[in-house]
Amino acid sequence: MNKRQIQKKKTRELILRIAKEMFIKNGFLNTTTSQIAQKAGIAHGTIFLHFKNKESLIIEIFDLELEEISSTIQELVFKAFDLEQLLKQYLELIQEEEDLFVVLARELPFYSEELRRKILFRESIIRSHFHKAIEIGIRKNRYRDVDVATAVTFLFGAINHYLRLKPIFVKEGSVIEKFKPSIIKTFKHLILKY
Amino acid sequence: MNKRQIQKKKTRELILRIAKEMFIKNGFLNTTTSQIAQKAGIAHGTIFLHFKNKESLIIEIFDLELEEISSTIQELVFKAFDLEQLLKQYLELIQEEEDLFVVLARELPFYSEELRRKILFRESIIRSHFHKAIEIGIRKNRYRDVDVATAVTFLFGAINHYLRLKPIFVKEGSVIEKFKPSIIKTFKHLILKY
DNA sequence: AAACTCGGTGACTGAGTGCTCATCAAAAAG
DNA sequence: CTTTTTGATGAGCACTCAGTCACCGAGTTT
């Protein structure tokens, strides 16, 4: 790898890093390519030297992210095949660093078919892990015999509902931190036998 | 009221009606003022004769809508002070005609402070009704002693989750209709004693 | 019937967008 | 050292948007 190739790779990675940062902070639609270029300290046109267009830029970022989160969750499920632990660790995971997926999911209806399909695919992966964990609890006779798919929707919906509102409440200084433990506690309470 | 004033009022109402229709269909951000004017058969500039800007247009629509839904829900709670019935009727209500609020909530993070506050206010009204209904169930010893606020979030989250995905699934022809009864059934199952 | 009023018009503005391409300069090749 | 290659540049393109304003003509008043 010569000097030119190294520089090129570096610029490419810089764009990816800055773009991801800004997409997370402001969403996809609210981030302009000019802003990305400006913050990265490169020319506007450089972005389109490395990526066909704005969409293929986020798709690459999303795919990298998907790979990472998939292996993380997979690991998580293997380590803790128990709903409560899984739930707790998942909440910590998405709490720790603002997740690109969560931000993208907010703008879901406005994206291209391709990106939407990818986002829903990621969602289905996470859902399937919760599904499995609940199913096992039922089989072990620890959980009530509920409709698993709907229970997962409740769970997922509550988490997303919280994440959707989080940036607003955080900005307004309201305390919503107790939400995390209470989600775990309540769902446990709801699903455990007596 | 002379001819001119009648015409003016008529035009104003036409704009409100068409705009609401289009905001529901395509969202606020994806509807242009030109589109509204074109569909209403008026000049683009006429809109700004009646409303200061695009935002004050939707705010007026939203306020009218809020008034209507508030009284409807209030009535609903008085008629059926029981969670299952309330839930069922609420789901039917938002199912029947695509709700402006639901559409707006999808774009929530991208709006002005004022509009966001209004949307969250409407949300809090609905939540409080569910809250009340669950609390009563617990007091009557029919429901399990859960954390009510979180239970409402589960419920609300599940409904919103469904509504958020609905337009996508409907477009793709997938069947999601069984979701509505299963949400009621599962929540009832989760919250009822034994 | 003339003068005035005022709601409606739509070409226009200017700020923004994603994206392009002639040009440049530094690195690589000869 | 000279020529060629190539990544980066940024002014500028075509386009979209919300919002403006000089003008028109029907309605109202005198």
Side-chain angles (χ1 to χ4, degrees):
Chain A
M1 236 203 234
N2 62 28
K3 234 175 178 179
R4 272 226 197 91
Q5 289 169 314
I6 289 171
Q7 183 56 42
K8 190 173 182 181
K9 198 183 159 199
K10 223 169 155 182
T11 306
R12 190 189 167 84
E13 279 163 4
L14 177 70
I15 295 169
L16 286 169
R17 206 186 68 233
I18 300 289
K20 180 179 157 187
E21 212 172 90
M22 295 188 74
F23 288 149
I24 287 176
K25 197 168 166 198
N26 305 318
F28 178 64
L29 300 172
N30 278 359
T31 304
T32 69
T33 48
S34 312
Q35 280 170 11
I36 295 169
Q38 200 184 356
K39 184 142 191 193
I42 56 168
H44 187 190
T46 305
I47 290 170
F48 299 94
L49 225 83
H50 290 272
F51 304 93
K52 206 179 102 246
N53 51 35
K54 195 187 175 191
E55 185 174 328
S56 68
L57 169 60
I58 196 163
I59 284 189
E60 178 152 343
I61 294 173
F62 188 80
D63 282 346
L64 288 171
E65 189 88 344
L66 182 61
E67 227 172 290
E68 205 185 300
I69 193 87
S70 283
S71 62
T72 309
I73 298 250
Q74 198 106 34
E75 212 180 296
L76 227 149
V77 172
F78 274 120
K79 267 202 287 183
F81 231 168
D82 171 85
L83 181 64
E84 294 144 54
Q85 263 191 63
L86 177 62
L87 192 50
K88 199 172 158 191
Q89 285 171 355
Y90 177 67
L91 284 169
E92 256 156 35
L93 190 73
I94 56 180
Q95 179 93 7
E96 195 179 304
E97 46 169 334
E98 252 295 44
D99 192 299
L100 179 66
F101 163 74
V102 171
V103 176
L104 289 183
R106 285 194 196 118
E107 300 175 47
L108 190 62
F110 313 120
Y111 294 133
S112 68
E113 278 303 309
E114 187 182 350
L115 192 50
R116 225 161 51 190
R117 208 178 301 279
K118 276 180 184 291
I119 294 169
L120 291 177
F121 174 65
R122 200 204 108 139
E123 182 156 323
S124 74
I125 287 176
I126 312 268
R127 282 178 71 98
S128 76
H129 288 314
F130 283 121
H131 198 108
K132 219 181 289 177
I134 294 178
E135 256 184 349
I136 284 172
I138 293 174
R139 222 177 299 142
K140 281 188 183 161
N141 212 28
R142 287 193 60 217
Y143 299 159
R144 313 174 104 200
D145 182 28
V146 294
D147 178 69
V148 183
T150 310
V152 171
T153 299
F154 275 105
L155 199 49
F156 220 77
I159 292 168
N160 283 352
H161 187 69
Y162 155 67
L163 286 169
R164 191 167 64 85
L165 296 179
K166 196 178 108 184
I168 293 158
F169 282 124
V170 166
K171 204 188 291 173
E172 292 182 358
S174 164
V175 181
I176 196 171
E177 282 319 307
K178 57 184 176 186
F179 185 85
K180 201 175 75 177
S182 84
I183 244 194
I184 298 170
K185 204 180 121 199
T186 306
F187 197 71
K188 216 173 93 183
H189 187 146
L190 285 174
I191 206 169
L192 275 177
K193 283 210 164 179
Y194 319 124
Chain B
M1 235 201 237
N2 63 26
K3 232 178 181 180
R4 271 225 197 94
Q5 291 168 313
I6 289 172
Q7 183 55 43
K8 189 174 180 182
K9 199 185 159 197
K10 224 170 155 182
T11 306
R12 191 190 166 81
E13 279 164 4
L14 178 68
I15 295 169
L16 284 170
R17 206 186 67 236
I18 300 289
K20 179 181 159 186
E21 213 171 87
M22 295 187 75
F23 288 150
I24 287 176
K25 199 170 166 200
N26 304 317
F28 178 64
L29 299 172
N30 279 0
T31 304
T32 69
T33 47
S34 312
Q35 281 170 9
I36 296 169
Q38 198 183 359
K39 186 143 192 193
I42 58 169
H44 183 189
T46 305
I47 290 171
F48 298 94
L49 226 84
H50 290 273
F51 304 93
K52 205 180 100 244
N53 50 34
K54 197 186 174 191
E55 185 175 328
S56 68
L57 170 58
I58 196 161
I59 284 188
E60 178 150 346
I61 295 173
F62 188 81
D63 283 344
L64 289 169
E65 189 86 346
L66 183 61
E67 228 172 289
E68 206 185 301
I69 193 86
S70 282
S71 62
T72 309
I73 297 251
Q74 199 106 35
E75 211 179 297
L76 226 150
V77 171
F78 275 120
K79 265 201 292 186
F81 230 167
D82 170 85
L83 181 66
E84 291 143 56
Q85 264 193 64
L86 176 61
L87 191 52
K88 200 173 158 188
Q89 285 173 352
Y90 176 68
L91 283 168
E92 254 157 37
L93 189 73
I94 55 179
Q95 179 94 4
E96 193 179 305
E97 46 171 333
E98 253 292 45
D99 190 302
L100 179 65
F101 163 74
V102 171
V103 177
L104 289 183
R106 282 192 199 119
E107 301 175 46
L108 188 63
F110 314 121
Y111 295 133
S112 68
E113 278 302 308
E114 185 181 353
L115 192 51
R116 227 161 49 191
R117 209 178 302 280
K118 276 179 184 293
I119 294 169
L120 291 177
F121 174 66
R122 199 205 109 140
E123 184 157 320
S124 74
I125 287 176
I126 313 268
R127 281 178 70 98
S128 76
H129 288 314
F130 282 120
H131 198 107
K132 221 181 287 176
I134 293 178
E135 256 183 349
I136 286 173
I138 291 174
R139 223 177 297 142
K140 282 187 184 162
N141 212 27
R142 285 191 63 218
Y143 299 158
R144 311 175 106 199
D145 180 29
V146 293
D147 178 70
V148 183
T150 310
V152 172
T153 299
F154 274 107
L155 198 49
F156 222 76
I159 293 168
N160 283 353
H161 187 70
Y162 155 68
L163 287 168
R164 194 167 62 84
L165 295 179
K166 197 178 107 183
I168 293 158
F169 282 124
V170 164
K171 203 188 294 172
E172 292 181 358
S174 163
V175 182
I176 198 172
E177 283 318 307
K178 57 183 175 185
F179 185 86
K180 200 176 72 176
S182 85
I183 244 194
I184 298 170
K185 204 180 119 198
T186 305
F187 196 70
K188 213 173 94 183
H189 187 145
L190 285 175
I191 206 169
L192 275 178
K193 285 207 163 180
Y194 321 123

